[in-house]
Amino acid sequence: MQPVVVHTISMGDVEDPDLFVADPIWQWQQTDEGRWIMEHSKQQPMWRRSMSQDAWGYRYDIVAWLDGADLTFWRLRHG
C-alpha cells in the first residue's frame, strides 16, 4: 500500500482555510475521479495542508492509499 497525492487545491490567504477548502474537496469527491478514489483507497483518503508560496496562502493535497492494480491504473492514467 502506497500513499499517493491524487488531487491538489490551492487556497488563498483566508481567515479559516480548513473551512473554506471543505467545499472544493466535496466538489472534487463528486467527480468521476473523486468517486473512484473514495471507492478504491485502502484507507480513508485524507488531506494535508502546507504553506504555498505560489498562491500566497495554502496548498491542500488529497492523499489516498492505493496498491496493486489500483495503483497501476492510477499511475498510468494520471502519470
Side-chain angles (χ1 to χ4, degrees):
M1 187 165 51
Q2 187 173 28
V4 179
V5 175
V6 295
H7 189 68
T8 300
I9 298 170
S10 293
M11 180 66 48
D13 187 19
V14 295
E15 190 168 316
D16 189 350
D18 295 347
L19 178 64
F20 279 88
V21 80
D23 185 57
I25 290 174
W26 186 84
Q27 294 291 335
W28 173 79
Q29 287 178 327
Q30 306 314 305
T31 66
D32 290 339
E33 179 182 287
R35 284 192 299 270
W36 189 90
I37 286 296
M38 296 305 288
E39 182 178 323
H40 291 90
S41 184
K42 304 304 180 205
Q43 295 180 18
Q44 179 72 31
M46 61 176 277
W47 54 263
R48 293 188 299 210
R49 181 183 65 206
S50 59
M51 296 300 293
S52 172
Q53 299 300 324
D54 297 335
W56 289 78
Y58 304 93
R59 172 185 164 143
Y60 286 83
D61 292 325
I62 299 175
V63 179
W65 284 264
L66 302 172
D67 65 1
D70 291 336
L71 179 59
T72 301
F73 175 80
W74 183 263
R75 295 254 188 236
L76 288 174
R77 184 150 177 135
H78 298 283

